[in-house]
Amino acid sequence: MKKVLFVVTSNDKLGNTGEKTGFWSEEFAAPYYELLDQGVEITIATPLGGQPPIDPKSADPASATEDTKRFDADKTLQEKLKHTHKLSTINQKDYDAVFYPGGHGPLWDLVEDKNSIALIESFYTHNKPVAFVCHAPAVLKNVKVNGEYLVKGKKVTGFTNEEEEAVGLTKVVPFLLEDALTKNGGKFSKGPNWQPYAVEDGLLITGQNPASSKLVAGKLLKKLSK
């Protein structure tokens, strides 16, 4: 049985706005069930351990999908989420791949988290897939392999400047993901706003927005079945 680690934000503050954030439920639920239904064993870790915050906007019925409805009704998963592992206790040796769901939360904690940075580097250098969707590719900002940014010269995508502007948070986020990955040498590409779009380059898989979550999971499953 393949084992995949999900790394989820512990941050619930949307900058200085006084509003709440966290992980985006579709970006967690769609890949979770895509993998689970194929027999993959999933472990969830967060910087602080315990219950990770869900972005309240993603729990809005207007954002609901079949996967988020399943997520809301899944008592086993809700219990599992209450008891996530602390990131500091995780070793890549125990897993075949790592997946990061987005939401705005990771921009403030996982981007700077030393354990997360070291973990991604370790998965990558041990020839294991690393996958990210929407805002999660931002956590690659400080990840280096052999002294060079991991994204340098690689095809990447993520939540675009245009999409950030559309949700009115360009001035709230600590940095724009598209700009950061481009600055670090990533070959950033994108599809139309809010449409499914994902790219892979070797072990690195990235998806643009919530609608891209299943695409990323599908690419990850293909890598795991090789």
Side-chain angles (χ1 to χ4, degrees):
M1 183 186 274
K2 294 291 184 183
K3 296 182 177 181
V4 173
L5 176 71
F6 272 43
V7 179
V8 181
T9 183
S10 288
N11 171 55
D12 69 349
K13 292 180 179 63
L14 190 63
N16 302 319
T17 61
E19 288 181 43
K20 293 289 187 195
T21 188
F23 71 88
W24 196 262
S25 60
E26 183 184 1
E27 296 166 29
F28 176 95
Y32 185 89
Y33 292 123
E34 194 81 358
L35 296 170
L36 186 77
D37 293 348
Q38 294 301 316
V40 174
E41 188 182 307
I42 299 164
T43 299
I44 310 166
T46 54
L48 301 179
Q51 177 73 50
I54 299 173
D55 189 305
K57 289 194 179 76
S58 75
D60 188 309
S63 304
T65 64
E66 288 312 307
D67 290 309
T68 62
K69 287 174 192 166
R70 182 176 169 187
F71 170 80
D72 291 339
D74 189 339
K75 298 276 192 292
T76 308
L77 177 53
Q78 299 304 335
E79 199 53 37
K80 191 172 172 179
L81 272 169
K82 283 181 192 161
H83 305 285
T84 67
H85 297 260
K86 259 194 170 162
L87 209 44
S88 57
T89 67
I90 295 290
N91 191 322
Q92 65 77 21
K93 281 193 297 203
D94 301 325
Y95 306 95
D96 299 295
V98 66
F99 171 77
Y100 282 68
H104 281 88
L107 296 175
W108 284 274
D109 65 350
L110 289 170
V111 170
E112 308 295 338
D113 190 287
K114 298 282 188 287
N115 293 311
S116 173
I117 292 165
L119 201 60
I120 296 166
E121 183 190 345
S122 186
F123 269 93
Y124 194 83
T125 54
H126 286 85
N127 211 29
K128 294 176 180 179
V130 292
F132 311 81
V133 71
C134 199
H135 280 89
V139 306
L140 292 163
K141 181 172 181 262
N142 298 309
V143 178
K144 290 184 174 179
V145 171
N146 302 325
E148 295 276 17
Y149 287 112
L150 189 153
V151 298
K152 188 177 177 185
K154 294 196 181 61
K155 292 185 280 190
V156 286
T157 190
F159 204 63
T160 66
N161 290 356
E162 219 177 300
E163 286 169 323
E164 201 68 82
E165 201 167 309
V167 296
L169 294 173
T170 301
K171 299 283 191 285
V172 173
V173 293
F175 61 91
L176 292 171
L177 180 156
E178 182 180 335
D179 291 353
L181 296 188
T182 304
K183 186 182 171 195
N184 287 353
K187 295 178 181 169
F188 195 95
S189 65
K190 53 196 166 186
N193 289 359
W194 318 117
Q195 296 305 305
Y197 183 78
V199 294
E200 63 180 287
D201 194 327
L203 297 167
L204 177 63
I205 305 167
T206 48
Q208 182 175 323
N209 46 35
S212 311
S213 305
K214 263 201 165 69
L215 262 183
V216 171
K219 287 178 182 293
L220 182 55
L221 271 172
K222 272 195 190 133
K223 286 243 187 281
L224 289 171
S225 62
K226 278 179 183 170

